């Protein structure tokens, strides 16, 4: 029989697996039954029964007792459950105890069912089921845990279930030093909680209270000290979503025998003794040294990527190996290990090439709040590496991050906040830098035809570029899925956004992975049929533009009071752009704003390019911290609500030809004509206005000097106005679609919009007519010109500002003050006013030029004194 190497490996793996299973089954632990230990502190259950609203599942805990005997390494538990409803019979009739048989033994002392005052015993060791339960298997960690369970018989509504047991033994990896937590936080009501710690007087304990737990009592009992805590009528605290991992509002007490962080370091040094590499591992090191050709960075990158990518994450954490790493040679041979196994292997590889490095303990939950806790090995749940290169650069490495890109100086390191370096002489926690965070840019470009086009197929091009840590994440995500599955999920993402249309992929999903530079690019192309929807009520086409690409990253809080901080994705920085290309005018709303808070920055900019006919929406979200503090929650809600409103736009098409009878707003056209005729009539009346009396005058000074420049601007005024009135956007005034743009909005808002259209039509007609009148007055050198011109330009400035603010309040999804372009227009108009209005009222030349009054008789004597002719305006 011939076996290939693959067959041999498969057979070997099967045999090892079966052997491990059989040996584990033969050594399956059992449960003993014993009387309660004599050392426990007697306590009488008390407390009040809860209101039925204060607990769930049909039962509540009437008493919970936990007592720790440090000398005997034994912990005693006693619990009383009160069954109150039929659902409580279902949910509260099983007892289950979790333990590690590698160092713990379970002894049950009693199981009693109280029916009224009558006790019913239900404890037989043969009825206990002891089964393996891998509590962390979903994280590829096998910790050897078991459960001892018993299903109680004949449980009825109103019964009280009382049981007690002890767990004896402790993990030898902690060298018989105690560390633990006593929590008084509960999910449902508990009538009475009691804790006791019994310690020899020779063992010094350190305590720290968090969130005001009950006061402890201390008393001596022979050679032992008894520490006790009691709390009665404990109510559950409602859970709040999106809280940071480090936040804990429950009252609890931390206890430890470790007096300093240096003592924890000494404990860690015994575990993380980095051995010299030998055998096959030595050969691997020599190969990398030769390939790197003396480049330290090249060697580091080879070693890190080997540990990250070729040593799969899998932890066998039974007994001492919960904290003690396996030998690097074993990890190299079996090609799997957890964080501590990978770290010890990586340190061995780096030190084999004379690169300084040390393990670093961190906690992925406590992060920068690690320093709030007392020194203890239980403060940590992860280990990484701190490395110092030969040129004295300090680099932090996480050996569990797979498919990481970049070079030695650009490796991403998560924001773990604080850590404890396992190095001789280290006495305190250290702050960890924020190393090479990433960001992503997403650009969605829509090309949408007019509704009248027969094809009516829009195109969507999506370009996404991931940098740094974001590239690491997407690279790993892409490798875990088939390309067909990925393409389908991306297509369905946009199908769910534009449900009324028909989307199809125009090409395969393109991606480019530049791992050395650590950026990852994606390109998607879609065709969208029937993107336009017709609203027969408003008689216009429309579709919704939704910026879901950014919205999916936001933490949107429900509208209710909150006391806890809000967790933010950190680090996170996203630049998100939506571009809409249209052949005709749409109801584009432009504006920009920025909010800069302690924890985040948000930027929004809506701009329209008339040259390219492109509406561009730009968003930027940048988190500066991992949370928003509780006292800033309301501000955060307002900012996210403001941003969310800008992420959805109702795009409408109002470029329908005026020749279409069903779209022509006849009465607005009539009103516009009447407004123009009335304005012309007003100008004829205004022409007669003259500040002076109609007396005989001479010709005055000729139009020259600075007045020539003013005359050019006066001539251009009606031309500029006519050009703006010919813009396609003016169709909003004379079409039904434009008039009904706010149909469906609150009545007051719609009426205000109609009133604004009427006022704008009237003012535009008046401005056009008066601009022509000013030309006539200018060339006739009428004495009314300076005054009327000044009123005209000042009024135009005021109207421009007020009209913009009113339009923004009615039309903009997120009102802002002025865009850069609008602010520029206002500034230019203000400068124009500031120059010419004072000039017209102060200049002597103006006074001697604009001298003709209405109905005046000009002098035939055109002679002038030489000194008058030469006089210049001041």
């Amino acid at each position: 029989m011939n076996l290939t190497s693959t067959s041999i490996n498969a057979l070997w793996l099967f045999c090892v697996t079966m052997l491990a299973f059989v040996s584990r089954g033969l050594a399956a632990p059992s449960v003993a039954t014993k009387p309660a230990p004599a050392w426990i502190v007697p306590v009488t259950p008390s407390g009040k029964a809860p209101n039925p609203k204060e607990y769930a599942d049909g039962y509540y805990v009437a008493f919970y007792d936990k007592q720790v005997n440090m000398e005997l390494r034994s912990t005693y538990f006693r619990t009383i459950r009160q069954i109150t409803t039929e659902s409580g019979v279902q949910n509260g009739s099983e007892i289950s105890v979790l333990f590690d048989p590698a160092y713990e033994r379970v002894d049950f002392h009693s199981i009693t069912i109280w029916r009224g005052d009558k006790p019913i015993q239900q404890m037989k060791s043969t009825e206990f089921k002891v089964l393996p339960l891998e509590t962390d298997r979903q994280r590829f960690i096998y910790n050897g845990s078991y459960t001892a369970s018993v299903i109680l018989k004949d449980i009825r509504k109103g019964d009280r279930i009382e049981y007690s047991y002890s767990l004896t033994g402790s993990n030898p990896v902690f060298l018989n030093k105690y560390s633990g937590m006593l929590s008084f936080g509960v999910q449902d009501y508990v009538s009475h909680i009691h804790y006791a710690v019994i310690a020899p007087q020779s063992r010094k304990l350190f305590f720290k209270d968090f969130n005001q737990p009950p006061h402890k009592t201390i008393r001596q009992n022979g050679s032992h000290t008894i520490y006790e805590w009691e709390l009665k009528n404990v109510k559950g605290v409602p859970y709040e979503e999106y809280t940071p991992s480090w936040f804990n509002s429950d009252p609890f007490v931390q206890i430890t025998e470790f007096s300093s962080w240096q003592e924890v370091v000494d404990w860690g040094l015994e575990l993380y003794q980095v051995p010299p590499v030998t055998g096959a591992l030595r050969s691997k090191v020599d190969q990398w040294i030769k390939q790197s050709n003396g480049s330290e960075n090249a060697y580091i990158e080879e070693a890190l990527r080997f540990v990250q990518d070729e040593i799969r994450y899998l932890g066998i954490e039974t007994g001492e190996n919960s904290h003690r790493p396996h030998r690097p040679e074993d990890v190299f041979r079996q090609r799997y290990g957890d964080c501590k196994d990978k770290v010890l292997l990586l340190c061995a590889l780096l030190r084999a090439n004379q690169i300084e490095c040390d393990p670093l303990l961190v906690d992925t939950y406590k992060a920068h709040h690690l320093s709030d806790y007392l020194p203890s090995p239980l403060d940590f749940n992860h280990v990484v590496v701190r490395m110092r290169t030969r040129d004295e650069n300090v680099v932090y490495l996480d050996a569990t991050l797979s498919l990481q890109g970049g070079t030695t100086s650009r490796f991403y390191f998560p924001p773990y906040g604080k850590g404890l370096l396992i190095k001789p002489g280290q006495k305190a926690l250290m702050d960890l830098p924020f190393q090479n965070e990433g960001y992503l840019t997403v650009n969605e470009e829509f090309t949408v035809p007019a509704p009248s086009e027969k094809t009516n197929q829009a195109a969507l091009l999506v370009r996404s570029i991931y940098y740094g840590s974001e590239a690491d994440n997407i690279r790993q995500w892409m490798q875990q899925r088939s390309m067909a599955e990925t393409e389908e999920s991306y297509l369905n993402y946009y199908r769910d956004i534009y449900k009324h249309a028909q989307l199809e992929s125009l090409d395969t999903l393109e991606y480019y992975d530049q791992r050395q530079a650590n950026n990852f690019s994606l390109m998607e192309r879609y065709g969208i049929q029937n993107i336009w929807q017709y609203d027969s009520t408003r008689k216009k086409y429309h579709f919704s533009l939704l910026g879901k690409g950014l919205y999916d990253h936001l933490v949107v809080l429900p509208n209710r009071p909150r006391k806890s901080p809000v967790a933010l994705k950190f680090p996170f920085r996203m630049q998100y752009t939506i571009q809409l290309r249209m052949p005709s005018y749409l109801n584009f709303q432009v504006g920009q704003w920025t909010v800069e808070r302690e924890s985040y920055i948000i930027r929004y900019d809506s701009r329209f390019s008339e040259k390219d006919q492109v509406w561009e929406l730009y968003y930027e979200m940048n988190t500066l911290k991992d949370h928003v503090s509780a006292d800033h929650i309301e501000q955060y809600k307002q900012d996210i609500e403001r941003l969310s409103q800008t992420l959805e736009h109702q795009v409408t098409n109002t470029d329908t030809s005026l020749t279409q009878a069903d779209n022509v707003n006849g009465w607005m056209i009539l009103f516009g004509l009447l407004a123009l005729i009335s304005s012309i009539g007003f100008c004829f009346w205004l022409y007669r206005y003259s500040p002076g009396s109609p007396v005989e005058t001479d010709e005055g000074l000729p139009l020259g000097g600075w007045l020539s420049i003013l005359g050019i601007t006066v001539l251009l005024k009606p031309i500029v106005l006519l050009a703006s009135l010919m813009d396609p956007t003016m169709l909003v005034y004379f079409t039904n679609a434009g008039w009904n743009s706010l149909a469906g909005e609150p009545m007051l808002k719609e009426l205000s919009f109609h009133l604004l259209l009427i006022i704008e039509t009237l003012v535009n007609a008046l401005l056009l007519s008066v601009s022509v009148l000013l030309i006539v007055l200018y060339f006739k050198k009428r004495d009314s010109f300076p005054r009327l011109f000044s009123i005209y330009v000042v009024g135009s400035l005021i109207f421009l500002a007020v009209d913009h603010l009113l339009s923004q309040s009615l039309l903009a999804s997120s009102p802002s003050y002025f865009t850069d372009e609008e602010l520029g227009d206002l500034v230019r108009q203000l400068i124009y006013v500031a120059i010419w209005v004072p000039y017209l009222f102060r200049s002597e030349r103006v006074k001697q030029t604009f001298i003709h009054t209405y109905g005046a008789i000009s002098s035939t004597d055109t002679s002038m004194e030489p000194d008058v002719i030469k006089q210049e305006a001041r």
Side-chain angles (χ1 to χ4, degrees):
M1 177 179 179
N2 295 324
L3 293 176
T4 65
S5 61
T6 304
S7 301
I8 293 174
N9 289 336
L11 181 62
W12 176 84
L13 180 62
F14 174 78
C15 293
V16 170
T17 304
M18 292 304 298
L19 179 62
F21 178 79
V22 172
S23 61
R24 186 172 180 174
L26 293 174
S30 59
V31 174
T33 56
K34 294 182 179 180
W39 56 262
I40 61 175
V41 177
V43 57
T44 302
S46 58
K48 299 179 180 179
N51 186 303
K53 296 181 179 180
E54 296 176 329
Y55 62 92
D57 296 327
Y59 74 92
Y60 68 91
V61 176
F63 181 61
Y64 178 76
D65 187 19
K66 176 182 178 180
Q67 302 188 30
V68 179
N69 189 309
M70 291 176 54
E71 184 177 32
L72 299 177
R73 294 186 296 169
S74 182
T75 304
Y76 168 83
F77 299 88
R78 179 186 173 196
T79 303
I80 299 176
R81 295 178 187 166
Q82 179 67 56
I83 307 298
T84 59
T85 67
E86 291 78 4
S87 63
V89 175
Q90 175 69 38
N91 299 320
S93 299
E94 181 178 352
I95 299 171
S96 184
V97 176
L98 181 69
F99 68 105
D100 190 335
Y103 54 83
E104 283 182 315
R105 183 185 77 244
V106 180
D107 298 319
F108 264 85
H109 309 307
S110 67
I111 300 177
T112 305
I113 311 302
W114 293 91
R115 190 160 294 154
D117 295 330
K118 179 182 178 182
I120 303 172
Q121 301 299 325
Q122 278 205 26
M123 189 175 72
K124 294 182 181 179
S125 59
T126 56
E127 294 183 347
F128 285 95
K129 305 296 182 183
V130 181
L131 299 171
L133 178 65
E134 296 295 351
T135 56
D136 288 326
R137 185 175 181 180
Q138 72 279 5
R139 297 193 298 124
F140 302 100
I141 295 176
Y142 296 84
N143 52 28
S145 297
Y146 275 73
T147 57
S149 303
V150 59
I151 299 176
L152 303 177
K153 300 176 181 177
D154 190 26
I155 302 300
R156 305 177 188 179
K157 176 182 174 180
D159 287 352
R160 251 179 18 259
I161 302 172
E162 180 176 358
Y163 62 94
S164 61
Y165 64 93
S166 294
L167 291 176
T168 303
S170 62
N171 195 332
V173 77
F174 298 119
L175 307 177
N176 200 30
K177 284 194 173 185
Y178 180 79
S179 295
M181 299 281 188
L182 302 177
S183 176
F184 296 89
V186 297
Q187 184 175 356
D188 290 330
Y189 186 97
V190 178
S191 299
H192 188 183
I193 296 176
H194 174 263
Y195 291 124
V197 175
I198 304 167
Q201 294 182 11
S202 59
R203 298 178 69 170
K204 185 176 182 180
L205 294 177
F206 301 90
F207 301 87
K208 185 171 183 179
D209 293 347
F210 293 81
N211 305 318
Q212 300 180 334
H215 180 71
K216 69 175 179 292
T217 61
I218 306 174
R219 57 190 173 92
Q220 304 298 322
N221 183 15
S223 61
H224 292 77
T225 302
I226 300 177
Y227 306 89
E228 280 187 281
W229 298 261
E230 274 194 299
L231 191 61
K232 298 179 181 179
N233 310 320
V234 187
K235 295 183 179 181
V237 178
Y239 170 74
E240 291 187 322
E241 296 180 310
Y242 308 116
T243 55
S245 60
W246 47 261
F247 179 78
N248 187 353
S249 60
D250 293 336
F252 66 96
V253 178
Q254 184 187 9
I255 309 172
T256 180
E257 279 191 277
F258 288 83
S259 61
S260 66
W261 290 113
Q262 184 176 359
E263 197 171 337
V264 180
V265 171
D266 294 339
W267 166 83
L269 286 171
E270 192 277 329
L271 299 179
Y272 290 92
Q273 297 182 23
V274 182
V277 297
T278 59
L281 192 54
R282 179 73 251 181
S283 300
K284 193 72 171 177
V285 168
D286 293 339
Q287 177 187 345
W288 289 338
I289 292 176
K290 184 178 180 180
Q291 290 176 349
S292 61
N293 196 25
S295 170
E296 182 186 41
N297 288 341
Y299 179 87
I300 292 170
E301 291 161 18
E302 285 286 353
L304 178 64
R305 285 178 177 152
F306 173 80
V307 175
Q308 287 181 334
D309 300 341
E310 298 191 39
I311 304 296
R312 77 180 189 272
Y313 187 86
L314 178 66
I316 307 298
E317 301 186 349
T318 58
E320 286 194 46
N321 288 118
S322 61
H323 289 74
R324 183 182 296 279
H326 294 86
R327 296 172 62 248
E329 286 81 1
D330 296 338
V331 177
F332 177 75
R333 183 181 63 255
Q334 64 199 17
R335 296 298 176 100
Y336 66 76
D338 59 12
C339 63
K340 58 185 180 294
D341 299 328
K342 287 186 167 220
V343 161
L344 193 61
L345 173 59
L346 181 58
C347 285
L349 294 174
L350 294 175
R351 290 188 184 182
N353 196 22
Q354 308 303 313
I355 300 172
E356 180 185 342
C357 61
D358 298 284
L360 177 68
L361 301 179
V362 298
D363 192 279
T364 57
Y365 297 118
K366 300 183 184 73
H368 53 282
H369 285 268
L370 183 60
S371 56
D372 296 342
Y373 293 79
L374 296 174
S376 166
L378 296 182
D379 289 334
F380 309 96
N381 69 348
H382 191 43
V383 60
V384 294
V385 173
R386 190 191 77 159
M387 175 185 67
R388 188 186 300 275
T389 62
R390 291 166 191 158
D391 55 3
E392 296 300 316
N393 288 328
V394 175
V395 181
Y396 294 85
L397 308 172
D398 191 331
T400 62
L401 299 179
S402 60
L403 300 175
Q404 193 170 24
T407 56
T408 302
S409 61
R410 298 297 302 165
F411 287 138
Y412 167 70
F413 184 73
Y416 292 136
K418 290 182 179 292
L420 185 65
L421 190 65
I422 305 302
K423 184 177 183 179
Q426 188 70 24
K427 299 181 179 179
L429 296 173
M430 59 188 301
D431 292 322
L432 303 181
F434 195 28
Q435 182 176 289
N436 301 324
E437 68 275 18
Y439 68 98
L440 71 147
T441 64
V442 177
N443 185 289
E444 296 177 348
E445 182 180 328
F446 292 83
T447 303
V448 181
S452 58
E453 292 190 18
K454 294 182 178 180
T455 57
N456 196 23
Q457 174 166 299
L460 170 59
L461 174 63
V462 185
R463 300 182 185 92
S464 305
I465 307 178
Y466 302 79
Y467 300 89
S469 58
E470 295 290 350
D472 295 339
N473 295 335
I474 191 66
R475 185 181 296 114
Q476 185 177 16
W477 188 87
M478 291 286 288
Q479 284 208 9
Q480 291 174 351
R481 290 160 177 80
S482 68
M483 181 54 67
E485 178 187 4
T486 301
E487 289 180 338
E488 186 69 18
S489 66
Y490 275 64
L491 175 60
N492 289 336
Y493 180 83
Y494 285 102
R495 280 175 172 170
D496 291 339
I497 297 175
Y498 302 99
K499 297 179 180 179
H500 67 279
Q502 293 81 47
L503 269 83
E504 61 178 359
S505 296
L506 299 180
D507 202 347
T508 59
L509 182 66
E510 295 181 33
Y511 70 92
Y512 308 92
D513 184 5
Q514 300 185 70
R515 187 166 180 181
Q516 198 70 6
N518 205 19
N519 61 68
F520 195 103
S521 304
L522 278 171
M523 187 172 294
E524 310 161 60
R525 294 181 178 88
Y526 304 105
I528 310 177
Q529 289 282 355
N530 302 322
I531 191 171
W532 290 104
Q533 290 180 290
Y534 184 69
D535 187 334
S536 58
T537 302
R538 294 187 286 176
K539 295 184 178 179
K540 64 179 179 180
Y541 291 89
H542 68 92
F543 70 90
S544 294
L545 196 65
L546 179 62
K548 197 169 185 296
L550 176 58
Y551 186 85
D552 289 342
H553 292 280
L554 302 179
V555 177
V556 182
L557 298 176
N559 186 23
R560 54 175 176 260
R562 184 183 180 93
K563 298 180 180 179
S564 305
V566 176
L568 297 178
K569 183 179 179 181
F570 179 77
F572 177 72
R573 181 185 170 198
M574 182 177 186
Q575 297 172 344
Y576 184 52
T577 305
I578 302 175
Q579 292 179 315
L580 184 59
R581 298 179 180 274
M582 291 290 301
S584 57
Y585 165 75
L586 297 176
N587 58 324
F588 299 124
Q589 300 299 327
V590 297
Q592 61 181 0
W593 51 264
T594 299
V595 294
E596 297 186 7
R597 311 297 183 197
E598 181 184 20
S599 301
Y600 55 89
I601 297 174
I602 304 174
R603 291 188 174 91
Y604 168 72
D605 188 6
S606 171
R607 47 185 175 257
F608 177 66
S609 170
E610 295 185 9
K611 177 181 178 182
D612 301 322
Q613 286 292 298
V614 174
W615 183 29
E616 182 174 285
L617 297 165
Y618 173 80
Y619 308 86
E620 184 175 344
M621 181 77 179
N622 186 11
T623 58
L624 307 177
K625 299 173 68 174
D626 66 352
H627 72 286
V628 177
S629 58
D631 53 346
H632 292 149
I633 295 299
E634 290 306 314
Q635 180 65 69
Y636 172 77
K637 286 182 179 179
Q638 294 173 15
D639 291 340
I640 295 301
E641 175 64 22
R642 186 181 185 187
L643 175 60
S644 299
Q645 289 178 358
T646 69
L647 288 170
E648 185 171 8
H649 296 266
Q650 185 81 356
V651 181
T652 58
N653 184 289
T654 57
D655 189 22
T656 304
S657 174
L658 288 173
T659 59
Q660 294 182 348
D662 64 341
N663 192 40
V664 174
N665 191 334
W667 84 267
M668 272 299 289
I669 292 177
L670 178 61
F671 175 79
L673 291 174
L674 291 175
L676 183 60
I677 293 171
S678 300
S679 298
I680 294 172
F682 173 75
C683 288
F684 273 104
W685 173 83
L686 193 60
Y687 178 77
R688 299 170 177 269
Y689 167 72
S690 181
S693 301
V695 296
E696 181 179 342
T697 61
D698 57 24
E699 287 299 315
L701 294 179
L703 294 168
W706 290 106
L707 288 178
S708 299
I709 299 176
L710 177 62
I712 294 173
T713 65
V714 171
L715 283 171
L716 290 176
K717 281 287 182 185
I719 298 174
V720 173
L721 279 171
L722 281 172
S724 64
L725 293 175
M726 294 299 292
D727 189 276
T729 60
M730 298 304 293
L731 293 178
V732 70
Y733 296 96
F734 307 114
T735 61
N736 289 321
W739 180 261
N740 295 318
S741 292
L742 295 188
E745 297 286 345
M747 181 177 295
L748 180 61
K749 185 174 183 179
E750 187 177 4
L751 290 175
S752 300
F753 174 65
H754 292 164
L755 181 61
L756 180 63
L757 291 181
I758 292 171
I759 293 173
E760 287 180 342
T761 302
L762 180 61
V763 173
N764 283 324
L766 183 61
L767 290 176
L768 179 61
S769 301
V770 173
S771 68
V772 175
L773 173 64
L774 289 173
I775 295 175
V776 176
L777 297 177
Y778 172 81
F779 284 103
K780 284 184 172 290
K781 297 193 291 185
R782 287 283 302 277
D783 65 342
S784 60
F785 174 80
R787 184 172 298 182
L788 293 180
F789 178 83
S790 300
I791 294 173
Y792 178 85
V793 294
V794 172
S796 298
L797 175 62
I798 296 173
F799 173 72
L800 184 65
V802 173
D803 182 64
H804 168 75
L805 293 176
L806 291 175
S807 299
Q808 282 290 299
S809 64
L810 286 173
L811 302 177
S813 58
S814 238
S816 60
Y817 291 108
F818 299 100
T819 64
D820 291 341
E821 183 179 354
E822 291 162 341
L823 186 60
D825 290 339
L826 284 172
V827 170
R828 284 189 291 273
Q829 181 75 1
L830 182 61
I831 293 173
Y832 185 85
V833 170
I835 292 174
W836 292 114
V837 171
Y839 172 75
L840 288 173
F841 282 94
R842 294 182 181 180
S843 171
E844 288 297 327
R845 183 179 186 109
V846 171
K847 293 177 181 178
Q848 297 182 41
T849 301
F850 297 101
I851 60 175
H852 294 169
T853 60
Y854 178 75
I857 302 174
S858 299
S859 173
T860 58
D861 184 8
T862 59
S863 62
M864 301 183 67
E865 296 295 330
D867 59 333
V868 175
I869 296 175
K870 295 179 180 179
Q871 188 174 9
E872 293 293 336
R874 287 181 295 171

